[in-house]
Amino acid sequence: MAFPVTRLRRLRRTAELRNMVTETRLTPDAFVYPMFVCPGEGIRKEVRSMPGVFNLSVDEAVKEAREVHSLGVPSVILFGLPDKKDDVATGAWADDGIVQQAARAIRREVPGLVLMGDVCLCEYMSHGHCGIVKPTLPRSLGAAAGGTIVSSPEDKEKAFDKVVERARRQAEQNYEIVNDASLELLARTSVSLAKAGIDIIAPSDMMDGRVAAIRKALDEAGLINTPILSYAAKFASGFYGPFREAADSAPQFGDRRSYQMDGANIREAMREITADVEEGADMIMVKPAMPYLDVIAAARERFDLPLAAYQVSGEYAMIEAAAQNGWIERERVMMESLLSIRRAGASIILTYYAKDAAKILS
Ligand SMILES: [Zn+2]
């Protein structure tokens, strides 16, 4: 039936009619609230590029967790800012690691809250990469000079500067993020977090084989009932910028393109998810959310596992910045962005808006 028999505006006439035929509904129980835990006491330090988001000491994190829970948000995901970093990410898997401390405290004080633990090494590594870094053999200084012909003393100086500069660049390029050795640390971290009271282990490192390694380690430790939410398709993204300030996890050299995914590749994303499902993931995640809604939709179509999406720091920061300038309506855009992620197919949304959106929805 075409116009004039069909008039789609009939069902849009009143708020009640629109509400009756709405296809997608947001509820607070879809939300997971990310929190950044730091050492100290009474600390509540706002992240410069994420207004309203804080680095919290354990005592403050407990207060925040209580508020989150009271708003009907069922879960938080914890990230840690350790007081010390090293080359084996000790802070990630130590019994008294900062997330382990926070998990114990929140578990005790807010027992009903589902605790997710982000599992990665970058926040705990001095170099800021998500795995163990191995320098590969640099070429000699002579080779780096590239056979520069030197004649005058000035030329000699210039040539030397060139050699130093080239050697420096090569040193930065000559490293490898070692996959299999990193798995051991990720597995150790997961067991430590689960023992501290984390309910759901969420690996975000993008090493190959991490889900299998973590599952095996959890099972061997008797933690057979601890589920894994895998950041299965995590893209190398400029939208993570503000997070790196929040979690102090920017890589000191290079970038993460050798392990995180190329934003151009949706078929490869499906392979990544398939691999994690086969390795034993209980839930899967796409990250970031809004620039990758098509990936969320494709994953929903293809996989039957619970599907999560992470509305990342840059998505949040853009909305906040535009709203602060009066260029967009904050609440309206916040809710529309969350709705788009839900409509694309994610049933679980990790978002810095969890508290604010829950207030509106209650
Ligand atoms: Zn990482």
Side-chain angles (χ1 to χ4, degrees):
M1 286 296 164
F3 179 84
V5 174
T6 299
R7 287 180 185 270
L8 291 168
R9 288 184 55 194
R10 278 184 202 122
L11 295 177
R12 286 182 213 145
R13 198 171 47 83
T14 67
E16 291 74 19
L17 281 171
R18 289 194 294 273
N19 187 48
M20 182 181 284
V21 300
T22 197
E23 296 175 28
T24 309
R25 288 181 206 276
L26 281 171
T27 57
D29 43 31
F31 299 147
V32 179
Y33 186 62
M35 300 205 316
F36 302 97
V37 191
C38 65
E41 228 191 293
I43 293 171
R44 198 176 165 79
K45 180 172 161 269
E46 193 167 42
V47 180
R48 195 180 45 86
S49 51
M50 301 175 74
V53 175
F54 299 84
N55 288 167
L56 303 164
S57 52
V58 171
D59 54 326
E60 290 291 324
V62 168
K63 286 184 205 161
E64 186 93 353
R66 200 175 282 129
E67 190 200 348
V68 170
H69 191 51
S70 73
L71 290 167
V73 175
S75 179
V76 297
I77 183 161
L78 301 179
F79 297 88
L81 290 97
D83 50 1
K84 274 194 224 94
K85 300 176 188 247
D86 57 29
D87 286 344
V88 286
T90 307
W93 44 265
D95 276 344
D96 61 348
I98 188 69
V99 172
Q100 285 82 347
Q101 291 179 40
R104 284 190 202 100
I106 298 172
R107 166 73 43 254
R108 193 173 55 235
E109 302 294 327
V110 198
L113 196 64
V114 176
L115 294 185
M116 292 189 182
D118 176 87
V119 172
C120 200
L121 306 174
C122 49
E123 296 134 69
Y124 309 92
M125 289 286 204
S126 41
H127 47 64
H129 276 288
C130 304
I132 292 172
V133 169
K134 186 180 85 179
T136 51
L137 237 100
R139 294 163 66 199
S140 69
L141 266 185
T148 313
I149 298 158
V150 180
S151 46
S152 72
E154 297 89 73
D155 282 354
K156 213 176 198 172
E157 207 168 295
K158 264 191 217 154
F160 183 74
D161 287 349
K162 243 189 212 170
V163 169
V164 170
E165 173 59 22
R166 251 183 239 165
R168 193 187 59 76
R169 257 186 281 136
Q170 278 193 15
E172 284 188 352
Q173 285 159 12
N174 289 315
Y175 69 90
E176 183 193 338
I177 310 299
V178 188
N179 193 86
D180 298 12
S182 302
L183 298 183
E184 290 176 34
L185 294 184
L186 294 164
R188 188 188 283 209
T189 301
S190 303
V191 170
S192 168
L193 290 176
K195 281 185 175 164
I198 292 288
D199 297 297
I200 298 173
I201 294 297
S204 64
D205 51 284
M206 290 302 281
M207 297 298 125
D208 288 327
R210 78 267 172 78
V211 173
I214 290 170
R215 183 71 271 156
K216 184 165 175 276
L218 289 172
D219 289 354
E220 282 172 4
L223 299 157
I224 56 164
N225 290 319
T226 302
I228 297 173
L229 163 59
S230 152
Y231 288 63
K234 179 178 178 182
F235 293 89
S237 170
F239 286 90
Y240 302 148
F243 176 93
R244 288 176 187 171
E245 186 200 335
D248 185 26
S249 65
Q252 300 302 303
F253 51 86
D255 56 37
R256 300 201 167 110
R257 290 173 207 273
S258 78
Y259 41 105
Q260 294 178 352
M261 283 199 54
D262 181 343
N265 296 355
I266 189 167
R267 289 192 292 270
E268 188 189 355
M270 297 302 113
R271 292 186 70 197
E272 277 286 1
I273 298 173
T274 303
D276 286 8
V277 172
E278 283 170 357
E279 288 176 29
D282 300 279
M283 302 186 271
I284 50 178
M285 192 200 300
V286 174
K287 180 182 180 184
M290 230 159 65
Y292 296 90
L293 291 177
D294 58 328
V295 180
I296 296 172
R300 179 65 299 158
E301 190 72 12
R302 192 143 156 182
F303 302 97
D304 292 329
L305 285 78
L307 175 62
Y310 199 140
Q311 183 180 46
V312 302
S313 58
E315 299 176 63
Y316 175 84
M318 286 197 309
I319 295 173
E320 290 299 301
Q324 276 186 12
N325 275 297
W327 294 341
I328 56 172
E329 288 174 52
R330 180 178 182 273
E331 284 191 358
R332 190 171 171 186
V333 172
M334 163 177 93
M335 297 311 282
E336 191 175 338
S337 68
L338 294 168
L339 191 70
S340 75
I341 299 164
R342 181 80 192 81
R343 191 189 61 240
S347 47
I348 303 162
I349 305 173
L350 291 82
T351 174
Y352 302 99
Y353 284 127
K355 289 193 299 173
D356 290 351
K359 283 178 198 158
I360 290 173
L361 292 168
S362 66

